[in-house]
Amino acid sequence: MQQLDLLAARLADHGVGPGGDTRGSHDPRQAALESHLDALRERLGDLERSGAAATAGADTRLQLARTLVGLDRGAEAWPLGRAAFNDFLAVDDFESAADACDVLFQAGQPDSICALGQGIWLAVTCPVDPELSIDLLRHVIDETPDDADGAAVAASTALFLADVRAQGKHRDDLMFFSTQTLGNVARRHSGVQTPEQFDRWMERLELKEPDKFLMRLRSVVEVLVRDDWWFDRDALRDRLPFAADQWS
């Protein structure tokens, strides 16, 4: 588990801390984000005054959180994203809940690593858009040390989800992207250069069998979450029409 602990430590160093306040800048992109932020706040106020459904407010809170993250104001984004996550999960909108976890990770707060673990669990267990699932796994791929197996496990899972969940051209695009990512991970992990080396590397790390690499991904998620689960996983599984047997 030492390498997984190192992964958590690396993720902790990745932007975790209060977001900087850049409101004094004259950057046109920032000005546009500030204007969008004002419009979203006004919309949220209107929804709250009208007694709109919680999910309507959740969508706006998540957009607010995403905009604040874009402005490097992660500390302000966190409570909005966290509230949105709770509202989405309450109505079994698992995809939006996973999206909220992605925003919470990017907010760079003390519990952002935990949010990433929750999001990956939802993305693998629930019928979530494979592109969003791959985005969440990409955070692990990018931050895992070169000699650790976590990136290989995450990249193999991304390829697996693209294969079984996407369709048509979308599937082709995601499969191409995920295959390229897995090849890059193999090069940085073990200096893999040829198809024969790649095949042996896949065999050695047991990356051809979903029941094995998904179980290893579960260990990565457990390290990220550190037993601070925001929901009852067993109760959630019971509400699903299906779940990944290998993951359960």
Side-chain angles (χ1 to χ4, degrees), residues 15-189:
V16 173
D21 188 343
T22 58
R23 281 171 282 187
S25 169
H26 297 291
D27 178 13
R29 176 182 176 276
Q30 180 188 323
L33 286 172
E34 290 283 2
S35 177
H36 186 52
L37 189 68
D38 290 341
L40 289 170
R41 283 176 168 155
E42 183 176 350
R43 183 193 305 170
L44 182 60
D46 291 342
L47 289 169
E48 290 174 343
R49 285 188 292 272
S50 66
T55 49
D59 289 333
T60 304
R61 287 186 185 90
L62 183 56
Q63 291 183 57
L64 273 166
R66 199 187 312 276
T67 304
L68 286 163
V69 167
L71 289 165
D72 294 327
R73 290 158 60 181
E76 295 176 62
W78 182 268
L80 290 161
R82 188 69 173 82
F85 172 87
N86 290 339
D87 287 339
F88 289 133
L89 209 60
V91 295
D92 290 352
D93 186 348
F94 305 119
E95 186 168 307
S96 295
D99 191 18
C101 289
D102 189 35
V103 173
L104 289 168
F105 172 72
Q106 295 181 62
Q109 298 304 296
D111 285 335
S112 287
I113 299 166
C114 179
L116 178 61
Q118 320 269 344
I120 291 173
W121 191 94
L122 289 169
V124 175
T125 306
C126 306
V128 170
D129 178 359
E131 188 167 353
L132 172 59
S133 304
I134 291 168
D135 285 344
L136 286 160
L137 291 162
R138 184 77 193 187
H139 296 310
V140 174
I141 294 167
D142 290 343
E143 300 305 320
T144 301
D146 289 351
D147 60 349
D149 295 348
V153 171
S156 296
T157 304
L159 182 60
F160 170 72
L161 294 177
D163 184 25
V164 301
R165 291 188 181 172
Q167 296 180 355
K169 187 177 184 303
H170 189 219
R171 177 183 179 277
D172 293 340
D173 291 343
L174 290 180
M175 289 284 289
F176 176 80
F177 172 78
S178 299
T179 300
Q180 292 293 105
T181 299
L182 186 57
N184 291 336
V185 169
R187 280 188 287 276
R188 87 183 201 199
H189 181 276

